[in-house]
Each structure stands twice: as C-alpha cells, then as structure tokens.
Amino acid sequence: MLAFSLPFFSVLLLFTTTAQPYNATDRFFLDCGSSSTTSDHPRWNSDQNSNSVPSNIITTSFPSTPFQPDPSVSGILPYTSARIFNASSFTYTFPVYQGPKFLRLHFCPATYSDLNPEQSLFTVTSNGFTLLTNFSAFLTAFYLNRKSFVKEFVIYVTDAQILNVTFTPSPNSYAFINGIEIVSMPESLYFSGGSLKYVGQNTGPVIDSKAALENIYRLNMGGGYISGTDDTGMYRSWEQDTGYIHGAAIGWTPVYDPKKPIIYTMETPDYTAPELVYRTQRSMGNQSDRYNLTWILPVDSGFFYKLRLHFCNIISQYTERGQVVFKIFINNQTADEEIDLFHLSRDSGYPVYKDYLVFIDDPDGRRGKQDLWVAMHPNPNSEKYRDAYLNGLEAFKLSMDSSLASPNPEYSREYPQPRAASPVIQNTKKTMAYGPVIGGVGGGLVLLTVLVLVVFLRSRVESLPLGRCRRFSLKEMKVATCEFDDRCVIGKGGFGKVYKGYIDNAKTVVAIKRLNSASKQGFREFRAEIGFLSKLRHVQLVSLIGYCDDEGEMILVYDYMPNGTLRENLYKNNNPPLSWKRRLHICIGAAKGLQYLHTGANRAIIHRDVKSTNILLDKNWVAKLSDFGLSKLGPKDRTQNHVSTMVKGTIGYLDPEYYRRKQLTEKSDVYSFGVVLLEVLCARPVINLGLPDEEVSLAELGKSCYRKGTLHQIIDLNLSGEIAPRCLMKFGEVAYSCLKEEGIARPTMDDVIWGLEFALQLQEHAEKSGGMVGEAMLEYQQLSFIMQAEPATTDEHALLGSTGMAKRHDTSSTDTFTEISQLTGR
Ligand SMILES: *[C@@H]1O[C@H](CO)[C@@H](O)[C@H](O)[C@H]1NC(C)=O
Ligand SMILES: *[C@@H]1O[C@H](CO)[C@@H](O)[C@H](O)[C@H]1NC(C)=O
Ligand SMILES: *[C@@H]1O[C@H](CO)[C@@H](O)[C@H](O)[C@H]1NC(C)=O
Ligand SMILES: *[C@@H]1O[C@H](CO)[C@@H](O)[C@H](O)[C@H]1NC(C)=O
Ligand SMILES: *[C@@H]1O[C@H](CO)[C@@H](O)[C@H](O)[C@H]1NC(C)=O
Ligand SMILES: *[C@@H]1O[C@H](CO)[C@@H](O)[C@H](O)[C@H]1NC(C)=O
Ligand SMILES: *[C@@H]1O[C@H](CO)[C@@H](O)[C@H](O)[C@H]1NC(C)=O
C-alpha cells in the first residue's frame, strides 16, 4: 500500500525518476451545500446526494451560497457554497479503512442566507475527539486575515472503520461548513514511535491511536508556497517561512543544484515531504556566530506540540562529517546539541527529519496564544564551517483529554509591544505582579530583582537611538493597505488619510497615517512626531511602530485603536454612548498621559494640541494620547517655565493666555484638557453651539454654568441620572480650575489626576450607597450654592493644592529637532 523506498544500491535509478507519491486509499472531497448538478469538478463532489449525510438532511440543514463573496474566493471550490446547521447536531459519516486520516475542514465565513457571520459559534467533534468548541470561523479568519482557511486534523480510525464528523451549533447560533476533505496517510508518517525527543521534560505523551493531532504550521524554509496538489499525494500545503522569522537576521536561502537528485531512504520515505521542501533551505551564512536563526510561531497554550524539522544538506562545500555541526533550541531550551547532516545521512541530497515534543505552558490559565521559539546556532565544535540550516518544519498540536479546542482569537489584537524595548511602565508592573507570588520565598531578593530590572529597563530605554522605530518599505505599506485602497480609510485630516492595515504577514493590525503630498502640515510635523514618539513609551500614549519615507512618502505606522477617538464616541450617534464611569476612566487615563509628558523626562514636553480627536481608545477603552506633530520641548532649565513660540493649536481648545502672550507652558495643555473635560460631560462641539445669534465656546459656556450652579443643565442627555451630584461637583470644579484665565492659577496635571480620581471615588461611593439618582439635581444645586458662598481661594486651592512655579523668564524659541536628543535622560 505504501510507496516503497529504494535501498541505497539502487540510487542511480533515481536520477531519472521523481518521488513516487503516496496513493491514498481513502479520499473524500465533499463540497458542502453545493447541488449535485454543478459539482462536476474532478476533485470535489456535492455532499447532498453522497452517502455521508444523514437521511434527514433536508430538515436538519440547508444549503446556501455566500452573499457578495470576496473576489479572492469567488468561484473557488469548496468556497462557493456552504451547508448551514441551525437546528440541531448534524453528522457526516465516512466509511474508511483503519489507520490515520487527514480530516480537513474548509471554512469561508460570509453572510449566508442573511445570517450574521459573527453569530456563528459551534462545536465540531469526530470519533470521540473534540476538535473545536464554541468555534468562530469569523474570528479565526479575522485573526489569520484570510477570507477562507482550512483546519487540518489527524484522526486515527480504529477497527470500527468509520470516521464521523459532527457539527453542533451553540445555543442561539448556527454552524456551517464549506468543505470536508478526508485523505488517508501512511501509517508510519506521523504515528511512528521513532526518534521523538522531549524538550524540557524527560517523558511526555505517546503519539498513538488514542491521540488526535492538529496541524498548526507546515513551512517550506527558504522556498515558495507548495500547494496541496504538489504534495506527495496527501494534499498538504506548505507555506513560506518568511513571515515567521524573528528579527532582521534572516540568513540566506541556498537552492540545490537542479541537476542533482533528492534521494529518499528507508528512514525518510518519498512520501515524507515533497522534493521542493528539501531543495530549498534557510541557512545562516557567514555571520552565523552573531545571531540565532529564529522562527517565532504563535500557538495555543496548555498543549503539547510535536515539531518535525526537515533537513537536507544542499550546500556543495559541505561534504563530510564534523564540518558543519549545529544546535537546535526550542523555546530557548537546547533540543539538540549536535546536528550533523553527514552523521544523520549519507551525503548531500539525502533528506532527514527529526521530531521533538514540547509543552507550551499556560501560566495564566486563559489558554491564549503564546510564541513558540525555534532557533538554531552553530555548535562551537563545528570543525570547518560555522553554519546551521533548516529545510522544512511541521508543527502539530496534540489532543489533551481528547480535545484540541482552544478559545477563539480575540477580535482586535493589540500590537505586541516591540520586542527590543518594552514600555518601562508595563514591564515594571509585570515584574511587580510576580512579586507577591514568589514573595514568600524571599521578599528581599524579589524586591532587589525588581529594582535591578527597573533600572535595567530604564537604562535600555534611555540608550535607544533616535531611529529606534521600524522603517518600512513602501512595498510593505502597499501590501498592508491593498495599495492604499479607500476602503481601508479609517480617518482623514489636513495631513491626509489614515488607513487600517495589516503587517507582519497580516498578523498585526495597524493604523497607517499617510501624509498627503499637498498637505500644509508637512515634513516638520512628521519629523517631530517620529522624534517624540520613538522616544516615549507609556501606556497612556499611542505607540509608534514605525515609519516609511521611501520615494518621498511620509507614512507613520501606529498601534491600531479599535475604539477610535474620544470625539467620535462622544458625538457620533451611531456609537453607543459611553457610560459616565468609563468617561471618568478615560479622562484619568488621558490626564496621566499628559502628566507623563510634562514631568516624565528631564525636560517637559508640551503637547500643544490636546483635544478629544487626539485621545484614542484601545480595545479596553484605555485612553492613549496621540498626534505629537505640534509638540514642543519645555525650557531646558526647569526654573524657567515657558518657551516663546508661534501660536499653534486648535481653535476652541487654545489657551487664551498663550494666544495673547505667545508664551507656551504646560498650563496651556491644562487649559485644553479642561475643554476636553467639558466635552466629556456635555458632548457638544467646542465652539458654535448652534444657538441662533450666539457663537460661544464650550469653555465659556461651561465656566458660566459652573459659576451659576447650572452645570447639570448642559450635561449630555445620554448621561441623565447617571452622575452622582457630588461627583459632578468635583468634576466641574476640576474642569473649571483648568480653564482659569491665568495659567499660573491652573492646576498641574498631578492635581488634575488627583481631583478626577476623587470624583470617581465619589461616584462609586454614591453608587454603592444607592439612591443617587432621585433628587440628584436638586442636591447638585444645593451643593453648588454652598460652594459659591465660600471664598474663591477655597474653590481654587482646597482641591488643587499649590500650583507652584510662578517665575517667568523669556527664552528664545527652541527647536524640536536639535533638542530632541536631550529628551532621553530621566
Ligand atoms: C492507486 O490505487 C488505486 C486503487 O487502490 C488504483 O486503482 C490506482 O491505479 C493507484 N494509482 C497509482 C498511481 O498507483
Ligand atoms: C433555520 O433556518 C431556516 C431557513 O432560514 C428557518 O426556516 C428555520 O426556522 C431555522 N431554524 C431555527 C431553529 O432557527
Ligand atoms: C461516531 O463514531 C464513533 C466511533 O466510531 C462512535 O462511537 C459514535 O457513536 C459515532 N457517532 C455518530 C453520531 O455516529
Ligand atoms: C559573507 O558572504 C557574503 C556573500 O556571500 C560576502 O559578500 C562576504 O564577503 C562574506 N563575508 C565574510 C566575512 O566572509
Ligand atoms: C526566549 O528568549 C527571548 C529573549 O532571548 C524571550 O524574549 C522569549 O520570550 C523566550 N521565549 C520563551 C518561550 O521563553
Ligand atoms: C541563542 O539561543 C539560545 C537559547 O535561547 C541562547 O542561550 C543563546 O544565548 C542565543 N545566542 C545568541 C547569539 O543569541
Ligand atoms: C464563545 O466565543 C465567543 C467569541 O470568542 C465568546 O465571546 C463567548 O464568551 C464564548 N462562549 C463561551 C461559552 O465560551
């Protein structure tokens, strides 16, 4: 049954023969939901009249076709139709021989029969294994950034000789499937006891008929994509490895002399992998001592993984044992100390594979994604050449307790922080979080470690060069945005357009801001933004991932913020209104970002364009300050408190004092922030309230209402009854103090944070003690009345404390570009 392998003495024969593909004994290609007449494709058959479906198919399912199929899948089988199950479980049954089978499930999430693709959640089981639970094909496709995808499983069919596949919709949901593929495989391909090595443990599960596998990756190192039809008879497809290589050190990609044969053996039979896999490789090249050749593969945590590494020497200089010896690391642990292809095989052109088993820990119990690291490095004992290479890689997830299911990927993933330098704040927090866990063992030591880590991380951030962020090519930007397709536009401004894009093999969602060449806000702002943002890392600031300046383009790449700007959440009617507490948290977050700018470095940074459009919200509604194009460094000497400069900013938010005196201080940001606080409370445009004969700014209106004790009359209607009177009181007080005419009378951002946090506490207290809604507004009026009776100084200083810094000195205007380098010291 199996394709036979040739013994060594018949090697010559192979010079003229190509590898014999495996002849599958079982093959089923069901094009689900297609009608029998249209499906005359050689490979795919309609499921409707097949023997695999139950007799009650008409009542338990219905066929459908995708509404407006994406061009990338239209007309491609099996994605032109689907079978939908909305009532109960549905089982396909396939008579097959005993032995291991590939089970491939083809999904193309789309709108079928008016059903929302996001609402499809279901479970798939097969022969006692749970393959998927509460599975969302929609979220999976989003994560993979593909319109269609295949889930490949390996199931060992026992002597019952039946393979059944059951789809069960989750409650109030529906299941669907586009295609089911079943192909048998040689018994020993993946299930042989062979040379399995455990990494990081002495023993582990045995891979036998009681285990099910799921193929997670199948990569052709240094070569191109290999489609299922070019596989060795089992329809496996092999992907390029380029998207998974860590860092810039990608080595080089030798190709085997096409006239020379790949020679399969007893140990590596010809069905193992196609010749194309072995004819290309990724090798380290002559810089090999400087780095590890590393691939990073995101996998689901809490499972064992079997990795199959395919090797074949194809470099003609390497001819004998001992010349090239290398090490393999899996998840930073040594998986193999010495790999020498001339030890493992006879000669060049002889393929070899090695299997490893590794467990991916799930420390937080959430079964989320984790990175699996596969790396290689020359062994120092390598006699002649320092090199290491890999031709192919397959990764399989092993079932645990008969299940392979993991949670759905999250809808919008945050950009993983750049590996080179994580934000100081976040790292500190993380380290602290482990503190209590290991604290019992040696608190002092832990504290010391934390301190050392903090110092280390800080010093790393400090020493970063200016151009720390990534530089993208224009081609990468075009791929990310489908050639700057207007359908990807998520925002527009005077500068140009902002696109939603996908980078790193479509794994990372980003916001791409492309400067319009006709833009008035030009090069200077672009440079300022890179200059500031590449230096600053804070949870409350948007992260700049990189930029592109190819061919005169000016493009900036940021973390994608799925919840958009604060402004659109306040004003646009199609967004559900933000709750009052969420608004408070957003204000506190944004205030912390500003505080960091003002005091985090040894020179203050003045944002100069604080407004609700420049406060972005991530998927957890964490506020992030953005747009540093107008930002300015504060005076060199902290005893001076302003820089003189041309007035820039946005009408309605602009500090009147700055406007008059052309002197910029941190307090100008505080003023603008006060306007934002009013927007958050009132959800109105900052100027031009639309009153017939009146054009009044929100700042003036807010201040006047505050003084009269009528602030509650202009509150956003969406918040009616939600705000506790004392909270409103405090909030109004903070906003009012920010909007004082004289900068010196305004609070610092420290004071603002304090005041807002207090307001939040008042709100929470009122909610806990109940009864906050009832006579709320009456109480507010009474409260504000009491307050008005008190002397102005109480109003200004009781809450806000000393505002410090009274001296004023003139300095000449400072230049962002020359002085930016002085920012780093803290
Ligand atoms: C594959 O096997 C089938 C029957 O098992 C046989 O009819 C067919 O000729 C075989 N194909 C090849 C290429 O050996
Ligand atoms: C399933 O969908 C069909 C066709 O849309 C519909 O007639 C039927 O009522 C649905 N059944 C359930 C349980 O939702
Ligand atoms: C599916 O197959 C398994 C094992 O062959 C069997 O135990 C089970 O009853 C089958 N389920 C259905 C719904 O046919
Ligand atoms: C490394 O290889 C490259 C390309 O093959 C070659 O240009 C370079 O001179 C080599 N460097 C050393 C130090 O051998
Ligand atoms: C391996 O080490 C790198 C740093 O050298 C680290 O970033 C990565 O998280 C480690 N991977 C694992 C799985 O421990
Ligand atoms: C390569 O990886 C191993 C294991 O993670 C590590 O110990 C070693 O320091 C790395 N070497 C280089 C040069 O990065
Ligand atoms: C099912 O998956 C969806 C989407 O990931 C998730 O929101 C929901 O909580 C899950 N339900 C269960 C019961 O796990």
Side-chain angles (χ1 to χ4, degrees), residues 91 127 160 162 164 166:
T91 302
N127 284 25
I162 291 285
N164 52 29
T166 303

Side-chain angles (χ1 to χ4, degrees), residues 733 740 744-746 791-803:
E733 202 179 325
K740 295 253 154 128
I744 188 171
R746 294 175 206 148
T793 47
T794 320
D795 144 28
E796 285 171 27
H797 298 295
L799 159 69
L800 305 163
S802 149
T803 50

Side-chain angles (χ1 to χ4, degrees), residues 578-618:
L578 299 172
S579 73
W580 176 238
K581 280 223 290 211
R582 176 158 283 166
R583 293 186 198 204
L584 283 175
H585 282 290
I586 290 169
C587 292
I588 293 169
K592 286 182 176 166
L594 270 181
Q595 177 206 33
Y596 172 75
L597 289 182
H598 291 174
T599 58
N602 62 3
R603 289 191 54 190
I605 297 160
I606 302 166
H607 187 285
R608 264 216 299 187
D609 204 11
V610 175
K611 54 181 173 182
S612 53
T613 340
N614 285 341
I615 296 171
L616 304 181
L617 301 169
D618 78 7

Side-chain angles (χ1 to χ4, degrees), residues 454-467:
V454 171
V455 170
F456 167 65
L457 288 166
R458 285 201 170 171
S459 64
R460 267 212 321 195
V461 170
E462 272 163 31
S463 60
L464 293 164
L466 189 112

